[in-house]
Amino acid sequence: GTAILVGREEAIRETAERSGVDLSDRHIEIHNARLSSRNDIYSQFLYERLQRKGYLLRDCQRLINNDRNSFAAAMVSQGDADAVVTGVTRNFSVALEDVRRVIDPKPGHRVIGLSIVLSRGQPVLIADTAITEMPDANELAEIAIEAAGVARRFGYHPRVAMLAFSTFGHPEGERSARVIEAVKILDQRRVEFEYEGEMAADVALNPEIAAQYPFSRLTGPANVLVMPGLHSAHISSRLMQALGGVTVIGPVIDGLQRPMQIVQMGATVSDLVNHAALAAYGALSRKR
């Protein structure tokens, strides 16, 4: 593929030179949002989207000219690029808001964030680690469906655990009730993947502990963990990353019409490469 850098060309080339990177012999394009010949097209496209949301044409022109996220997302929406990777210098939520002004969710899909945990066993997906702070039962069910779809696209047979602090009714709690209801919603929808809950994380992942619940519908350790709230998802994924012993990639964004990924502020080169690969995979999947 071809990498596209969005920014001021002079600054990009100075940075490349300081890093010992010769851009002349690499397949890298540089686009300056302010100088692009496509700005009028992008601005008009954005204005048509936002004119009934309080934006004037000049507001959209300003976004395209000055905001790299808006410009890059417009490039993808108009077919001039295939995916967006951003976030190194901006807060995750700000970058996501920038891009979602330009790119809509897929029809019938929910936008979620997943963290991919790579350990000695097979990868485990944790959802939702980025978008919905306190999902209700219906939202939890939708998150489970979306996350199972991601696992399937990665080549795995989804086994989805709906996590809570309780396991199959013990101990009882108000927050666990939302998870129990989400499982009932999945039952009604007759989804085509394994799921079970409510259950604690060790029951979902440890076969010896899970054996105490022979009625569980999971045929093996869960590879998709649906968290009861953003707080628990965010804390657990960051905690694993900080303690070491595993590699955590993400949050990975899924559910948008066009591929885009957001790295954490201060991301490493490895983080950027991983997210670029995921974004490229999403772009290739769209074209099949």
Side-chain angles (χ1 to χ4, degrees):
T2 299
I4 301 172
L5 302 179
V6 176
R8 291 184 293 114
E9 183 169 355
E10 181 181 344
I12 290 173
R13 294 196 179 279
E14 287 177 358
T15 301
E17 186 176 350
R18 287 197 304 271
S19 303
V21 177
D22 183 4
L23 296 180
S24 61
D25 63 347
R26 296 170 183 262
H27 296 293
I28 296 177
E29 297 179 16
I30 300 175
H31 289 253
N32 186 330
R34 187 179 292 275
L35 303 178
S36 173
S37 61
R38 301 280 287 169
N39 276 11
D40 288 345
I41 295 172
Y42 296 162
S43 297
Q44 187 61 41
F45 160 74
L46 191 58
Y47 179 55
E48 290 174 4
R49 288 178 54 83
L50 302 179
Q51 59 190 222
R52 294 184 181 274
K53 296 182 180 179
Y55 287 79
L56 302 176
L57 177 59
R58 62 173 177 267
D59 298 324
C60 297
Q61 291 170 330
R62 191 178 301 113
L63 282 171
I64 293 298
N65 289 339
N66 299 327
D67 181 70
R68 287 168 291 181
N69 286 337
S70 298
F71 179 85
M75 285 186 72
V76 172
S77 292
Q78 295 301 294
D80 296 327
D82 293 308
V84 180
V85 179
T86 185
V88 175
T89 61
R90 295 192 189 184
N91 182 280
F92 185 98
S93 60
V94 172
L96 181 62
E97 183 181 358
D98 290 343
V99 172
R100 290 192 68 175
R101 286 195 198 98
V102 187
I103 301 176
D104 289 326
K106 295 178 189 174
H109 287 258
R110 181 177 190 83
V111 180
I112 65 170
L114 306 98
S115 292
I116 306 171
V117 180
L118 306 175
S119 62
R120 288 173 294 180
Q122 74 170 21
V124 175
L125 306 184
I126 301 177
D128 173 1
T129 56
I131 309 295
T132 307
E133 182 175 357
M134 190 61 70
D136 59 26
N138 192 63
E139 289 170 331
L140 284 170
E142 291 177 352
I143 290 169
I145 293 169
E146 198 70 36
V150 175
R152 190 175 282 118
R153 289 199 300 276
F154 284 170
Y156 296 103
H157 174 71
R159 292 188 297 274
V160 180
M162 309 294 288
L163 295 191
F165 72 91
S166 60
T167 299
F168 300 122
H170 180 77
E172 293 183 1
E174 181 182 347
R175 294 194 175 185
S176 292
R178 292 183 294 110
V179 183
I180 295 169
E181 183 61 29
V183 173
K184 293 178 180 178
I185 293 171
L186 292 174
D187 291 341
Q188 295 167 0
R189 295 191 182 185
R190 300 182 183 275
V191 296
E192 296 181 351
F193 57 84
E194 292 183 31
Y195 62 93
E196 188 57 284
E198 92 284 12
M199 62 174 60
D202 54 351
V203 178
L205 297 172
N206 189 321
E208 294 181 2
I209 300 176
Q212 301 176 56
Y213 306 95
F215 54 85
S216 172
R217 291 176 284 193
L218 296 183
T219 60
N223 52 21
V224 178
L225 306 178
V226 176
M227 293 292 184
L230 184 57
H231 56 297
S232 55
H234 192 270
I235 291 169
S236 59
S237 60
R238 289 293 183 90
L239 187 61
M240 285 186 284
Q241 193 167 25
L243 291 175
V246 300
T247 299
V248 180
I249 301 173
V252 176
I253 304 300
D254 190 73
L256 290 171
Q257 284 187 342
R258 306 281 179 161
M260 65 85 59
Q261 297 300 334
I262 304 173
V263 299
Q264 300 292 333
M265 287 182 66
T268 65
V269 171
S270 178
D271 293 331
L272 284 162
V273 170
N274 286 334
H275 281 76
L278 289 165
Y281 179 76
L284 289 169
S285 298
R286 272 190 88 248
K287 294 181 177 182
R288 286 173 185 162

